[in-house]
Amino acid sequence: MKLLPPIPRGLLRMTGADRVKFLHGLTTGNVKALKPGESHRSIHTSPKGKVLALLSVFAEADSLWVETDADRVAWLKAVWLDDPEDSNPET
């Protein structure tokens, strides 16, 4: 039996009072319903519904952790922090 190589994963930690509302508005998951210690899978989409990133969202009392493919972490940071130099959704 041949095994597939592991897919590198990356993490983003989101803090601040608006983190839940922010991520809830950008993804398909119900982030507002997550309680500390809970998680769910979600999708970050373009305004037209194009899948841009697959995510796992983990809730803590004071933060949200977002897990995604390692190669999407820098791109998501650029998009979410509104950095026009590295925010091409086609990458």
Side-chain angles (χ1 to χ4, degrees):
M1 174 168 66
K2 185 174 181 179
L3 298 175
L4 296 174
I7 298 170
R9 305 298 288 169
L11 285 172
L12 294 168
R13 183 172 184 241
M14 301 180 75
T15 60
D18 62 345
R19 69 189 178 278
V20 172
K21 180 180 178 183
F22 177 79
L23 195 58
H24 184 82
L26 291 175
T27 65
T28 59
N30 188 359
V31 179
K32 291 180 180 179
L34 286 176
K35 296 181 177 112
E38 294 181 339
S39 66
H40 71 236
R41 300 282 304 187
S42 192
I43 301 171
H44 174 60
T45 63
S46 72
K48 292 184 178 184
K50 178 181 176 185
V51 174
L52 301 175
L54 302 176
L55 314 170
S56 293
V57 181
F58 304 89
E60 291 184 331
D62 62 347
S63 63
L64 293 171
W65 287 91
V66 178
E67 178 192 33
T68 191
D69 293 334
D71 65 349
R72 298 310 276 171
V73 171
W75 179 82
L76 284 172
K77 285 169 63 173
V79 171
W80 291 350
L81 297 175
D82 198 25
D83 181 354
E85 290 187 23
D86 195 20
S87 60
N88 181 353
E90 300 302 318
T91 61

